[in-house]
Amino acid sequence: MNTTLGTQSRTSRSKVLPVIFGFFIMGFVDLIGTVINYVKADFELSDTMANMLSLSCFFWFLVLSIPTGLLMNRIGRKNTVLLSFIFTLVGLLVPFVAYQFSFVLAAFALIGIGNTILQVALNPLVSNVVAKEKLTGSLTQGQFIKALSSWLGPNVAAWLAATTLGWKYLFPVFALVSLLAAVWLWTTHIEEETGVKKEVSSGATFALLKNSKILLFFIGILVLVGVDVGLNATLPKYLMEKFPAEVTSVSQADQLKSYYYFIVRALGAFLGGILLMKIPERKFYIVSVFLAFAGLVWLLFGQSLGGILAGVAIVALGYSNLFAIIFSLALKQVPEKANEVSSLLIVGVSGGAIALLLGVVSDAYETQWAAMAIVAAIWLYLIALIRTVNR
């Protein structure tokens, strides 16, 4: 097997940029936090029904991540990423062509399928274009790009909502970006490992959970994504419920979320990408989880809009590098099985379906505070994970 790639080919900017730009497309899954609130208003849905969109999207991470890893072993990482762009492109066009709740559900199913494939394949593909010692920093920089994409979604939607076009024109705009990303990567030559590819079964992939660290990191991904999607879906409604005189519309609440959550996450990921080249990821993890937990508590008990938004920013800063750190630590456990580890961890992204539970809870208690309290409670797992990270 040829595993020694030339330094020049692994670090060439012309190869790195189209791969890292894939994280921008990955950020399109966060559109769901924006779309849920617009769809709820457009079709006059309950929180439970509106949050069905999260199940439609994140269900596919549960069932397709492992098959995607097997597919990646057959057709290669780059081709798998290109396939993900096709699903994303089609999904983004569906609600623009036919805007009905059932079609929006179908659209986010396609976006979920595309994002599942992308998240499984893109992280290992990064390892084909950067040096091993720069992997964690590069994955964190990818999260910075993803956060920029996530920030753009609600802002583009709010801007379009204020025009005669309407917020739904967000879909063809992002579809065009997906098409351009696909063409850019398709025309880029990337040298992957060559030689005889060993067939790996889904059973062998799940067997990685026998490694206690892999199991605990997998649960960590479940919690991380659950918190992220839960905040995305709940925070705008929480702001409108808590400060009705100051936050009067979905678009305003969504923009506040984007400024204080996604922008700070992007800045945190950018700085983390630099600092993680020098600071051990284990120390970075400890500071990050406690910082985010402090922000979550602040969100629950803050009494002013400014205070709540400060809490949002603190959560975002703490959260910003954790996905990349956990992913990198897991890959380093069994680097010879990077494809399988990646596909297994991305099953954990199905944790985003927790938004449906949060919708049920907020409907049952008739307050968004209850949903926010659940988000804070499940974060305690990541604090408990410190012991494993330090081993």
Side-chain angles (χ1 to χ4, degrees):
M1 177 181 291
N2 177 22
T3 57
T4 305
L5 302 178
T7 301
Q8 183 177 359
S9 65
R10 291 178 67 86
T11 58
S12 170
R13 183 171 298 182
S14 65
K15 298 178 186 295
V16 173
L17 289 179
V19 174
I20 293 297
F21 189 72
F23 285 94
F24 191 88
I25 310 303
M26 190 185 293
F28 290 1
V29 75
D30 289 327
L31 286 174
I32 197 164
T34 295
V35 172
I36 280 175
N37 294 304
Y38 280 104
V39 167
K40 179 187 176 184
D42 288 350
F43 297 106
E44 299 180 348
L45 303 172
S46 66
D47 281 330
T48 301
M49 284 302 297
N51 285 4
M52 279 292 293
L53 286 173
S54 68
L55 180 62
S56 174
C57 180
F58 290 101
F59 168 77
W60 301 104
F61 288 92
L62 179 64
V63 300
L64 287 183
S65 295
I66 301 300
T68 298
L70 305 182
L71 176 67
M72 184 165 55
N73 281 337
R74 287 178 173 270
I75 68 173
R77 297 167 180 174
K78 175 183 167 181
N79 288 335
T80 307
V81 170
L82 289 171
L83 179 64
S84 76
F85 290 161
I86 294 172
F87 274 102
T88 302
L89 174 63
V90 175
L92 287 166
L93 292 175
V94 167
F96 182 70
V97 174
Y99 186 60
Q100 299 173 20
F101 184 59
S102 58
F103 282 99
V104 178
L105 283 172
F108 272 91
L110 289 169
I111 291 170
I113 292 170
N115 215 268
T116 300
I117 297 170
L118 180 58
Q119 294 211 37
V120 170
L122 187 61
N123 291 294
L125 185 61
V126 172
S127 68
N128 287 115
V129 295
V130 300
K132 180 179 179 181
E133 63 273 13
K134 294 184 178 181
L135 179 59
T136 300
S138 297
L139 292 179
T140 303
Q141 289 170 350
Q143 292 301 308
F144 164 67
I145 300 298
K146 180 179 182 290
L148 284 180
S149 172
S150 301
W151 167 75
L152 274 175
N155 284 282
V156 172
W159 176 75
L160 288 169
T163 70
T164 56
L165 294 174
W167 74 271
K168 293 186 290 296
Y169 273 81
L170 173 80
F171 293 112
V173 170
F174 277 51
L176 177 60
V177 176
S178 299
L179 177 61
L180 294 175
V183 172
W184 191 9
L185 182 61
W186 180 54
T187 56
T188 301
H189 174 72
I190 295 175
E191 186 178 354
E192 299 185 42
E193 287 81 358
T194 58
V196 178
K197 295 183 182 291
K198 185 177 71 172
E199 290 295 329
V200 181
S201 67
S202 58
T205 301
F206 278 114
L208 290 169
L209 293 174
K210 294 178 181 178
N211 180 317
S212 61
K213 282 192 174 183
I214 296 294
L215 173 61
L216 294 171
F217 288 145
F218 169 76
I219 298 172
I221 296 293
L222 275 171
V223 171
L224 266 179
V225 178
V227 167
D228 183 36
V229 176
L231 280 176
N232 260 315
T234 306
L235 189 58
K237 294 176 286 188
Y238 182 62
L239 294 176
M240 294 174 69
E241 174 185 280
K242 200 170 180 68
F243 307 104
E246 298 170 85
V247 185
T248 58
S249 68
V250 170
S251 61
Q252 182 189 2
D254 229 29
Q255 282 187 300
L256 286 172
K257 176 192 73 177
S258 72
Y259 283 122
Y260 288 89
Y261 185 63
F262 288 124
I263 284 186
V264 175
R265 260 185 64 180
L267 291 173
F270 177 75
L271 292 174
I274 297 171
L275 294 174
L276 280 164
M277 300 290 186
K278 303 175 182 178
I279 300 175
E281 52 213 353
R282 290 167 172 79
K283 292 182 179 179
F284 212 99
Y285 178 90
I286 294 170
V287 173
S288 296
V289 290
F290 279 114
L291 185 64
F293 185 67
L296 288 168
V297 173
W298 198 333
L299 279 177
L300 289 173
F301 300 106
Q303 296 302 312
S304 67
L305 178 59
I308 293 292
L309 293 175
V312 173
I314 291 171
V315 174
L317 189 61
Y319 186 101
S320 56
N321 298 287
L322 290 173
F323 189 95
I325 290 173
I326 291 178
F327 213 102
S328 177
L329 289 172
L331 287 176
K332 290 177 181 178
Q333 283 294 303
V334 277
E336 71 279 6
K337 297 183 178 180
N339 286 4
E340 292 78 12
V341 172
S342 179
S343 60
L344 180 64
L345 290 181
I346 297 305
V347 174
V349 179
S350 62
I354 196 177
L356 179 61
L357 171 63
L358 299 181
V360 172
V361 169
S362 59
D363 280 339
Y365 289 92
E366 298 183 346
T367 174
Q368 301 297 326
W369 192 92
M372 296 296 289
I374 290 177
V375 169
I378 66 174
W379 190 265
L380 292 173
Y381 175 84
L382 295 172
I383 295 177
L385 192 61
I386 289 174
R387 183 177 179 182
T388 301
V389 168
N390 276 334
R391 286 210 306 262

PDB file of all heavy atoms in Angstrom, residues 65-82:
ATOM      1  N   SER A  65     -24.750   6.225   8.060  1.00  0.00           N
ATOM      2  CA  SER A  65     -23.335   6.515   8.304  1.00  0.00           C
ATOM      3  C   SER A  65     -22.445   5.300   8.072  1.00  0.00           C
ATOM      4  O   SER A  65     -21.410   5.387   7.404  1.00  0.00           O
ATOM      5  CB  SER A  65     -23.149   7.042   9.732  1.00  0.00           C
ATOM      6  OG  SER A  65     -23.795   8.278   9.902  1.00  0.00           O
ATOM      7  N   ILE A  66     -22.839   4.166   8.613  1.00  0.00           N
ATOM      8  CA  ILE A  66     -22.028   2.954   8.437  1.00  0.00           C
ATOM      9  C   ILE A  66     -22.010   2.512   6.975  1.00  0.00           C
ATOM     10  O   ILE A  66     -20.927   2.246   6.415  1.00  0.00           O
ATOM     11  CB  ILE A  66     -22.530   1.816   9.336  1.00  0.00           C
ATOM     12  CG1 ILE A  66     -22.476   2.241  10.814  1.00  0.00           C
ATOM     13  CG2 ILE A  66     -21.709   0.553   9.108  1.00  0.00           C
ATOM     14  CD1 ILE A  66     -21.114   2.607  11.312  1.00  0.00           C
ATOM     15  N   PRO A  67     -23.169   2.422   6.289  1.00  0.00           N
ATOM     16  CA  PRO A  67     -23.123   2.082   4.851  1.00  0.00           C
ATOM     17  C   PRO A  67     -22.276   3.052   4.040  1.00  0.00           C
ATOM     18  O   PRO A  67     -21.616   2.648   3.070  1.00  0.00           O
ATOM     19  CB  PRO A  67     -24.593   2.145   4.427  1.00  0.00           C
ATOM     20  CG  PRO A  67     -25.355   1.828   5.670  1.00  0.00           C
ATOM     21  CD  PRO A  67     -24.564   2.464   6.784  1.00  0.00           C
ATOM     22  N   THR A  68     -22.264   4.328   4.432  1.00  0.00           N
ATOM     23  CA  THR A  68     -21.429   5.298   3.723  1.00  0.00           C
ATOM     24  C   THR A  68     -19.957   4.977   3.899  1.00  0.00           C
ATOM     25  O   THR A  68     -19.162   5.096   2.957  1.00  0.00           O
ATOM     26  CB  THR A  68     -21.722   6.725   4.209  1.00  0.00           C
ATOM     27  OG1 THR A  68     -23.081   7.056   3.937  1.00  0.00           O
ATOM     28  CG2 THR A  68     -20.813   7.733   3.519  1.00  0.00           C
ATOM     29  N   GLY A  69     -19.581   4.549   5.101  1.00  0.00           N
ATOM     30  CA  GLY A  69     -18.193   4.156   5.320  1.00  0.00           C
ATOM     31  C   GLY A  69     -17.802   2.980   4.440  1.00  0.00           C
ATOM     32  O   GLY A  69     -16.694   2.936   3.893  1.00  0.00           O
ATOM     33  N   LEU A  70     -18.720   2.032   4.273  1.00  0.00           N
ATOM     34  CA  LEU A  70     -18.450   0.885   3.407  1.00  0.00           C
ATOM     35  C   LEU A  70     -18.351   1.325   1.951  1.00  0.00           C
ATOM     36  O   LEU A  70     -17.488   0.853   1.199  1.00  0.00           O
ATOM     37  CB  LEU A  70     -19.556  -0.162   3.572  1.00  0.00           C
ATOM     38  CG  LEU A  70     -19.828  -0.657   5.000  1.00  0.00           C
ATOM     39  CD1 LEU A  70     -20.921  -1.719   4.998  1.00  0.00           C
ATOM     40  CD2 LEU A  70     -18.559  -1.186   5.648  1.00  0.00           C
ATOM     41  N   LEU A  71     -19.253   2.232   1.549  1.00  0.00           N
ATOM     42  CA  LEU A  71     -19.208   2.765   0.187  1.00  0.00           C
ATOM     43  C   LEU A  71     -17.906   3.506  -0.066  1.00  0.00           C
ATOM     44  O   LEU A  71     -17.295   3.378  -1.140  1.00  0.00           O
ATOM     45  CB  LEU A  71     -20.402   3.707  -0.040  1.00  0.00           C
ATOM     46  CG  LEU A  71     -20.456   4.428  -1.383  1.00  0.00           C
ATOM     47  CD1 LEU A  71     -20.686   3.428  -2.515  1.00  0.00           C
ATOM     48  CD2 LEU A  71     -21.556   5.498  -1.378  1.00  0.00           C
ATOM     49  N   MET A  72     -17.452   4.265   0.943  1.00  0.00           N
ATOM     50  CA  MET A  72     -16.223   5.038   0.803  1.00  0.00           C
ATOM     51  C   MET A  72     -15.030   4.127   0.563  1.00  0.00           C
ATOM     52  O   MET A  72     -14.106   4.473  -0.176  1.00  0.00           O
ATOM     53  CB  MET A  72     -16.032   5.895   2.053  1.00  0.00           C
ATOM     54  CG  MET A  72     -14.838   6.823   2.018  1.00  0.00           C
ATOM     55  SD  MET A  72     -14.926   8.093   3.301  1.00  0.00           S
ATOM     56  CE  MET A  72     -15.119   7.108   4.773  1.00  0.00           C
ATOM     57  N   ASN A  73     -15.038   2.944   1.184  1.00  0.00           N
ATOM     58  CA  ASN A  73     -13.955   1.994   0.945  1.00  0.00           C
ATOM     59  C   ASN A  73     -13.936   1.504  -0.498  1.00  0.00           C
ATOM     60  O   ASN A  73     -12.886   1.111  -1.020  1.00  0.00           O
ATOM     61  CB  ASN A  73     -14.103   0.784   1.887  1.00  0.00           C
ATOM     62  CG  ASN A  73     -13.602   1.081   3.289  1.00  0.00           C
ATOM     63  OD1 ASN A  73     -12.789   1.976   3.475  1.00  0.00           O
ATOM     64  ND2 ASN A  73     -14.099   0.351   4.268  1.00  0.00           N
ATOM     65  N   ARG A  74     -15.095   1.525  -1.155  1.00  0.00           N
ATOM     66  CA  ARG A  74     -15.200   1.041  -2.532  1.00  0.00           C
ATOM     67  C   ARG A  74     -14.878   2.111  -3.568  1.00  0.00           C
ATOM     68  O   ARG A  74     -14.157   1.868  -4.530  1.00  0.00           O
ATOM     69  CB  ARG A  74     -16.604   0.496  -2.790  1.00  0.00           C
ATOM     70  CG  ARG A  74     -16.896  -0.844  -2.113  1.00  0.00           C
ATOM     71  CD  ARG A  74     -18.321  -1.273  -2.387  1.00  0.00           C
ATOM     72  NE  ARG A  74     -18.593  -2.621  -1.890  1.00  0.00           N
ATOM     73  CZ  ARG A  74     -18.427  -3.738  -2.602  1.00  0.00           C
ATOM     74  NH1 ARG A  74     -17.991  -3.663  -3.835  1.00  0.00           N
ATOM     75  NH2 ARG A  74     -18.692  -4.912  -2.073  1.00  0.00           N
ATOM     76  N   ILE A  75     -15.466   3.320  -3.388  1.00  0.00           N
ATOM     77  CA  ILE A  75     -15.353   4.332  -4.443  1.00  0.00           C
ATOM     78  C   ILE A  75     -14.389   5.458  -4.099  1.00  0.00           C
ATOM     79  O   ILE A  75     -14.117   6.324  -4.938  1.00  0.00           O
ATOM     80  CB  ILE A  75     -16.739   4.925  -4.789  1.00  0.00           C
ATOM     81  CG1 ILE A  75     -17.295   5.765  -3.643  1.00  0.00           C
ATOM     82  CG2 ILE A  75     -17.711   3.819  -5.175  1.00  0.00           C
ATOM     83  CD1 ILE A  75     -18.580   6.503  -3.995  1.00  0.00           C
ATOM     84  N   GLY A  76     -13.872   5.473  -2.870  1.00  0.00           N
ATOM     85  CA  GLY A  76     -12.920   6.509  -2.488  1.00  0.00           C
ATOM     86  C   GLY A  76     -13.586   7.671  -1.785  1.00  0.00           C
ATOM     87  O   GLY A  76     -14.794   7.893  -1.875  1.00  0.00           O
ATOM     88  N   ARG A  77     -12.779   8.428  -1.058  1.00  0.00           N
ATOM     89  CA  ARG A  77     -13.283   9.530  -0.249  1.00  0.00           C
ATOM     90  C   ARG A  77     -13.779  10.700  -1.098  1.00  0.00           C
ATOM     91  O   ARG A  77     -14.853  11.245  -0.856  1.00  0.00           O
ATOM     92  CB  ARG A  77     -12.182   9.992   0.712  1.00  0.00           C
ATOM     93  CG  ARG A  77     -11.773   8.925   1.711  1.00  0.00           C
ATOM     94  CD  ARG A  77     -10.482   9.262   2.455  1.00  0.00           C
ATOM     95  NE  ARG A  77     -10.142   8.195   3.394  1.00  0.00           N
ATOM     96  CZ  ARG A  77      -9.014   8.163   4.106  1.00  0.00           C
ATOM     97  NH1 ARG A  77      -8.114   9.130   3.957  1.00  0.00           N
ATOM     98  NH2 ARG A  77      -8.777   7.166   4.939  1.00  0.00           N
ATOM     99  N   LYS A  78     -13.013  11.071  -2.110  1.00  0.00           N
ATOM    100  CA  LYS A  78     -13.394  12.206  -2.948  1.00  0.00           C
ATOM    101  C   LYS A  78     -14.714  11.936  -3.664  1.00  0.00           C
ATOM    102  O   LYS A  78     -15.605  12.811  -3.682  1.00  0.00           O
ATOM    103  CB  LYS A  78     -12.290  12.507  -3.961  1.00  0.00           C
ATOM    104  CG  LYS A  78     -12.651  13.608  -4.955  1.00  0.00           C
ATOM    105  CD  LYS A  78     -11.548  13.806  -5.984  1.00  0.00           C
ATOM    106  CE  LYS A  78     -12.021  14.665  -7.148  1.00  0.00           C
ATOM    107  NZ  LYS A  78     -10.982  14.853  -8.177  1.00  0.00           N
ATOM    108  N   ASN A  79     -14.864  10.779  -4.262  1.00  0.00           N
ATOM    109  CA  ASN A  79     -16.103  10.461  -4.972  1.00  0.00           C
ATOM    110  C   ASN A  79     -17.299  10.419  -4.030  1.00  0.00           C
ATOM    111  O   ASN A  79     -18.421  10.778  -4.405  1.00  0.00           O
ATOM    112  CB  ASN A  79     -15.964   9.123  -5.702  1.00  0.00           C
ATOM    113  CG  ASN A  79     -15.057   9.213  -6.913  1.00  0.00           C
ATOM    114  OD1 ASN A  79     -14.884  10.280  -7.484  1.00  0.00           O
ATOM    115  ND2 ASN A  79     -14.465   8.090  -7.301  1.00  0.00           N
ATOM    116  N   THR A  80     -17.065   9.981  -2.797  1.00  0.00           N
ATOM    117  CA  THR A  80     -18.147   9.951  -1.816  1.00  0.00           C
ATOM    118  C   THR A  80     -18.581  11.369  -1.457  1.00  0.00           C
ATOM    119  O   THR A  80     -19.784  11.657  -1.324  1.00  0.00           O
ATOM    120  CB  THR A  80     -17.704   9.184  -0.560  1.00  0.00           C
ATOM    121  OG1 THR A  80     -17.207   7.890  -0.928  1.00  0.00           O
ATOM    122  CG2 THR A  80     -18.863   9.005   0.405  1.00  0.00           C
ATOM    123  N   VAL A  81     -17.624  12.269  -1.304  1.00  0.00           N
ATOM    124  CA  VAL A  81     -17.957  13.669  -1.031  1.00  0.00           C
ATOM    125  C   VAL A  81     -18.743  14.265  -2.194  1.00  0.00           C
ATOM    126  O   VAL A  81     -19.735  14.985  -1.989  1.00  0.00           O
ATOM    127  CB  VAL A  81     -16.677  14.487  -0.763  1.00  0.00           C
ATOM    128  CG1 VAL A  81     -16.989  15.988  -0.725  1.00  0.00           C
ATOM    129  CG2 VAL A  81     -16.036  14.060   0.557  1.00  0.00           C
ATOM    130  N   LEU A  82     -18.333  13.969  -3.420  1.00  0.00           N
ATOM    131  CA  LEU A  82     -19.061  14.477  -4.588  1.00  0.00           C
ATOM    132  C   LEU A  82     -20.503  13.971  -4.613  1.00  0.00           C
ATOM    133  O   LEU A  82     -21.428  14.716  -4.953  1.00  0.00           O
ATOM    134  CB  LEU A  82     -18.339  14.059  -5.873  1.00  0.00           C
ATOM    135  CG  LEU A  82     -17.007  14.776  -6.155  1.00  0.00           C
ATOM    136  CD1 LEU A  82     -16.284  14.124  -7.330  1.00  0.00           C
ATOM    137  CD2 LEU A  82     -17.243  16.261  -6.441  1.00  0.00           C
TER     138      LEU A  82
END
